[in-house]
Amino acid sequence: MNSLPPDPVTDDKSPGVPGFRTWRGVYVFVFAVFVLVVAVLAVFSRWFA
């Protein structure tokens, strides 16, 4: 049985991804990239149609 309090440094639920301190930042980045890819595909579909 572990009676020690949780370590705030290792128990902070950080994503462990360089450049991102929170999971919300990761989610916003992924969503922004998705929107950018969809927009680029829409432009290319009109350009090459």
Side-chain angles (χ1 to χ4, degrees):
M1 188 160 160
N2 190 0
S3 62
L4 296 173
D7 187 9
V9 174
T10 58
D11 195 37
D12 61 349
K13 307 262 191 246
S14 68
V17 180
F20 297 101
R21 291 183 294 167
T22 63
W23 278 108
R24 181 179 180 138
V26 174
Y27 295 144
V28 168
F29 176 76
V30 169
F31 182 71
V33 169
F34 173 75
V35 169
L36 179 66
V37 168
V38 170
V40 167
L41 288 173
V43 168
F44 282 169
S45 68
R46 286 190 179 264
W47 191 10
F48 291 112

